[in-house]
Amino acid sequence: MKADLPRSRIALALAVCVVGFTARAALAQEASSDAQKERVDSLFAEWDDPNSPGCALGVIGDGQLIYKRGYGMANLEHDIPLSSRSVFYIASTSKQFVAASIILAAEQGYLSLDDDIRKYLTEMPDYGTTITIRHLLNQTSGIRDYLTLWGLGDDNFADIHEPEEAYELITRQNALNFDPGDEYLYSNSGYFLLAEIIGKATGRTLKEYAREVIFEPLGMENSHFHDDRLHISKHRAIGHVPAEDGGIAMYVSNFDLVGSGGLHTSVDDLYLWDQNFYDNKLGDGSLLVELQRRGVLNNGDTLTYAAGLEIAEYKGLRAVGHGGSSQGYRADMLRFPDQRFTVIALCNFSTISPSTLVRRVADIYLADEYTEQPGVTSSTAAPPIEYVTLPQSALEETTGSYRNPVTGTIWNVSVDESKLRVDVNNFTFHLNAVSDTEFKGVTDFFSVDVELEQLDDGTAIHAVFDDGETASYEPIELFEPDASQLAEYAGSFYNDEIDNTWVFFVEDNALFIEDGPDEPCSPLVKDEFTVAGITINFLRDESDQISGMVVDAGRVTNLEFARK
C-alpha cells in the first residue's frame, strides 16, 4: 500500500479485511466449539443427572462467557437444576475478595498494608515481633489456623459459632507456628482476622464494605458475604456429602463466619469479577497489582501465594487462581491472563474435584497454547523413558522406612515383583528403575523422579515431583512398642490454648485417644506417633518420664500439652 493513499481508503480497506476475517473466525469457532462443548460435557457426565448434585461451569474467552452450563441439581428435594445463576458457598475461593476489600480500604486511607495488626486488633498477644496486614494476606503470619484448632479441641465445625468465639480462640494462642515472614503456611485465621480489621478500620462489616466497594460497582447482584446463617440467599444450591448408606445427604450448615470463606456467589457474577482483571473499575488503580503481588519471605524467597490468589504456571502458561472446599461445596476459578481465558467450576458435592476439572477444561481449549507438558520443556521433547530391570537383591537393599525431616511424611518402601513399592499416607505407588540409583513413578495424580544416595548409615531418597516440588527422605527405624512400652503413654494431657484434655489408653496392644479417631495411634520412632494426619511427640523429663507432648497438625504446629 502506498504511503500517500488517503486515510479514508485505508480505513475502508481495513474494515473490509476485519469483517471478512471475523466472519471466517466466527464460523470456525462455531464449528469447533460444538466439539469442545461435547468434550467438556463428557468431563461432567457423571453428575449430569436429575438425581445428583453437581457443578455449574463457566468458560470465559476474550471477554465472553463462551460456555456456561449446569450439571446436576441445585436442590434434590425440589428438583431445581443447577445453572450459571445458581449461588454457591465458595469457601476459600472467597479469600481474593477479602484481600480486595483490604486493598481498597488501604486506597481509601483506612489502613496501610504494612500496619501492625495490633493497631486494629488490640487483643492479639505481643509475640515479640510485628505481624503486618501483608503477612496475613500472604499467609506468612505464623498464626495458627483456627479451624484446625477447633478440630483439635472439643468444638464441632458444624456447631453455631459466633465471631467472638473464633477471635477469642485466636487471641488465646501463646505462640506462633513460626516467626512472621520466615515461612509460608496456609492459615484461615489470617483471613478471618482481615475481616475483623475491615470492621475495626472502616466501621462496616466485611459484608457491608465488600458490597459497597466490589459487588455493587461490578453489578454482582447475587454475591454477598454470608455472615448470618438465617439470611435467605436467593438461588442457593445446597451442599451435599456422601451418606453413610452409600447415598447422598444434604450438608445443613450453621457456619456463618466470614473472612476465611463465606462468600455466596454464582458463575454469572464471577464472570463480572474476572473481567475486572482486564479493565479495573474498582478503586484508584492499585487493586490488580496488590492482589497479584506475590509474597516474599524474610530470606528473599518469592512465594506463589499473593493476596488470596495463587500465581503459578500450568503447562507453561501463567495461571492465577484459588480453590475452596467446605460444607459439601467445592469451588475453583483458574485464569490464564495472557490468553484472556478463565474456567470457573462451582460444585455442591464434596466428592467432586473442581481443581482437576477446570484444568481439564482448559486442556480442551488451550492445548495449542501450551508450551510445556509436565517434565517437558518448551524447547525439547521428552525422550522415551528406558527402564531397566534390577536384581531382586539390589531392590531389597533399598527397602525400609524413610522420613521427610521437614514434613514428617514417611515412605515405607518394599519390593513388588521387579519394582519398588511406596506406601505413604494410605496411598500406594510404584517406582520403576531407570538406572542403579534412579527411579521414576507415574500415577494418575503426579509423576516423580527419585534418586538414591548412599550414606554412612543407609540410603537417602531424593524426590522431584512434576510440579517442581522437591523432597528428601532419610532412613529411619520404626518403633514397635510392646504393651508395657505403650502403657507409658497412657494418661491425660491438657492444653490451655484450646482448653482441652486428650486421654490416651491402651487396648489390644495399641494406643488410642478417648473420643478421638477410631484408628489407633501408629508408632513412628520412639515417643512419636501419628493418627488421622496428626503427629504426636511425647516429651520426657529429666527422670525419663513422660511429662507432656507436642502436637503437629499441618496448619498448627508445636502445640504443647502438659501431662495432668
Side-chain angles (χ1 to χ4, degrees):
M1 185 178 292
K2 294 183 179 180
D4 58 355
L5 195 64
R7 292 188 178 216
S8 59
R9 292 182 60 188
I10 295 175
L12 178 61
L14 286 174
V16 170
C17 290
V18 169
V19 169
F21 175 81
T22 303
R24 290 193 303 273
L27 288 172
Q29 176 61 30
E30 184 178 351
S32 65
S33 66
D34 287 340
Q36 289 169 331
K37 290 172 184 177
E38 287 181 9
R39 293 176 63 193
V40 169
D41 289 345
S42 70
L43 297 176
F44 292 84
E46 178 181 350
W47 308 286
D48 193 11
D49 186 319
N51 297 306
S52 174
C55 299
L57 170 72
V59 182
I60 305 169
D62 288 326
Q64 301 296 320
L65 260 173
I66 58 178
Y67 194 40
K68 60 180 183 179
R69 252 211 70 179
Y71 304 89
M73 306 303 284
N75 189 309
L76 291 172
E77 289 186 327
H78 300 290
D79 293 328
I80 300 172
L82 286 167
S83 73
S84 63
R85 191 186 183 195
S86 301
V87 169
F88 294 75
Y89 178 92
I90 64 168
S92 287
T93 309
S94 310
K95 285 183 168 69
Q96 58 198 282
F97 294 90
V98 182
S101 298
I102 283 285
I103 293 163
L104 293 171
E107 281 191 354
Q108 293 178 349
Y110 288 112
L111 54 87
S112 166
L113 301 185
D114 295 308
D115 280 342
D116 186 334
I117 65 171
R118 296 180 73 236
K119 178 179 178 180
Y120 310 96
L121 309 174
T122 56
E123 297 83 4
M124 285 295 294
D126 183 356
Y127 295 109
T129 183
T130 299
I131 302 173
T132 67
I133 291 175
R134 200 179 296 277
H135 285 136
L136 301 183
L137 289 170
N138 297 150
Q139 304 281 20
T140 58
S141 70
I143 297 173
R144 291 166 173 160
D145 182 85
Y146 78 103
L147 300 180
T148 304
L149 289 169
W150 267 338
L152 295 173
D154 204 18
D155 281 293
N156 191 322
F157 178 83
D159 292 343
I160 297 173
H161 292 289
E162 299 299 330
E164 292 78 12
E165 285 183 72
Y167 187 54
E168 196 271 337
L169 174 66
I170 295 169
T171 59
R172 200 162 65 224
Q173 302 311 297
N174 57 33
L176 299 171
N177 286 330
F178 49 80
D179 285 339
D182 274 4
E183 300 178 34
Y184 163 88
L185 184 60
Y186 194 92
S187 173
N188 286 294
S189 294
Y191 273 74
F192 172 84
L193 293 177
L194 288 173
E196 293 293 300
I197 290 172
I198 286 289
K200 299 283 188 181
T202 71
R204 282 156 283 181
T205 65
L206 175 62
K207 178 180 182 179
E208 295 166 339
Y209 189 72
R211 180 177 64 234
E212 174 187 323
V213 301
I214 300 174
F215 304 139
E216 288 183 349
L218 294 182
M220 298 173 67
E221 296 179 352
N222 290 310
S223 299
H224 73 276
F225 274 101
H226 197 70
D227 61 4
D228 177 1
R229 67 185 185 281
L230 302 179
H231 176 82
I232 295 173
S233 188
K234 291 284 191 180
H235 314 299
R236 188 195 319 200
I238 302 300
H240 296 82
V241 295
E244 292 184 1
D245 63 2
I248 297 171
M250 288 195 306
Y251 190 109
V252 180
S253 175
N254 292 309
F255 191 79
D256 57 7
L257 303 185
V258 298
S260 53
L263 186 66
H264 281 207
T265 191
S266 67
V267 165
D268 287 343
D269 275 13
L270 290 175
Y271 159 69
L272 300 174
W273 171 246
D274 177 75
Q275 293 309 290
N276 195 65
F277 277 78
Y278 304 107
D279 181 18
N280 180 36
K281 297 178 175 64
L282 305 178
D284 297 331
S286 70
L287 178 63
L288 302 187
V289 172
E290 292 298 342
L291 273 176
Q292 299 175 95
R293 188 187 300 279
R294 293 161 58 184
V296 179
L297 297 180
N298 294 335
N299 65 4
D301 288 350
T302 299
L303 305 173
T304 59
Y305 203 88
L309 290 169
E310 286 274 358
I311 314 293
E313 282 195 357
Y314 179 69
K315 296 187 177 180
L317 305 183
R318 189 161 61 101
V320 180
H322 206 294
S325 173
S326 184
Q327 305 169 61
Y329 295 97
R330 304 289 299 272
D332 208 317
M333 180 174 183
L334 186 65
R335 177 183 306 107
F336 296 85
D338 298 330
Q339 287 68 40
R340 294 179 69 91
F341 181 85
T342 298
V343 185
I344 303 164
L346 308 182
C347 308
N348 64 334
F349 195 24
S350 64
T351 62
I352 300 175
S353 175
S355 296
T356 299
L357 289 168
V358 295
R359 284 159 178 79
R360 289 185 177 175
V361 172
D363 291 345
I364 292 171
Y365 286 88
L366 298 181
D368 293 339
E369 302 276 350
Y370 292 151
T371 61
E372 296 180 10
Q373 299 290 339
V376 183
T377 66
S378 57
S379 59
T380 61
I385 300 171
E386 296 184 4
Y387 294 114
V388 299
T389 301
L390 298 181
Q392 187 83 358
S393 58
L395 293 173
E396 289 177 351
E397 290 178 0
T398 308
T399 60
S401 296
Y402 297 80
R403 183 180 188 183
N404 183 326
V406 177
T407 64
T409 301
I410 290 179
W411 282 16
N412 291 306
V413 180
S414 58
V415 176
D416 188 355
E417 296 181 348
S418 60
K419 305 174 184 178
L420 290 179
R421 167 179 167 148
V422 180
D423 291 284
V424 53
N425 294 335
N426 299 316
F427 182 75
T428 298
F429 64 95
H430 291 83
L431 296 173
N432 291 284
V434 179
S435 71
D436 290 348
T437 60
E438 297 172 303
F439 294 78
K440 188 173 187 67
V442 179
T443 78
D444 290 339
F445 307 101
F446 64 87
S447 63
V448 59
D449 294 302
V450 165
E451 183 175 359
L452 306 181
E453 179 188 7
Q454 295 302 317
L455 305 175
D456 292 340
D457 57 350
T459 303
I461 294 176
H462 303 291
V464 180
F465 296 90
D466 55 8
D467 62 359
E469 290 292 321
T470 62
S472 293
Y473 300 83
E474 302 170 348
I476 63 166
E477 289 290 333
L478 291 181
F479 182 42
E480 297 180 0
D482 57 28
S484 62
Q485 290 172 306
L486 287 175
E488 286 190 89
Y489 307 106
S492 300
F493 298 79
Y494 176 74
N495 176 271
D496 59 353
E497 299 176 51
I498 60 173
D499 190 24
N500 197 38
T501 298
W502 288 17
V503 179
F504 292 82
F505 65 95
V506 178
E507 183 175 281
D508 297 330
N509 203 33
L511 187 68
F512 290 86
I513 304 174
E514 188 175 287
D515 297 324
D518 292 334
E519 68 266 30
C521 301
S522 299
L524 299 176
V525 296
K526 184 179 180 182
D527 296 338
E528 187 172 333
F529 294 76
T530 184
V531 62
I534 299 167
T535 302
I536 303 164
N537 286 275
F538 288 94
L539 306 176
R540 294 181 180 269
D541 59 21
E542 294 179 354
S543 59
D544 203 34
Q545 301 299 306
I546 302 293
S547 59
M549 67 179 188
V550 174
V551 169
D552 288 338
R555 296 172 181 175
V556 171
T557 65
N558 300 315
L559 189 65
E560 294 190 15
F561 290 68
R563 188 163 199 167
K564 295 175 69 174

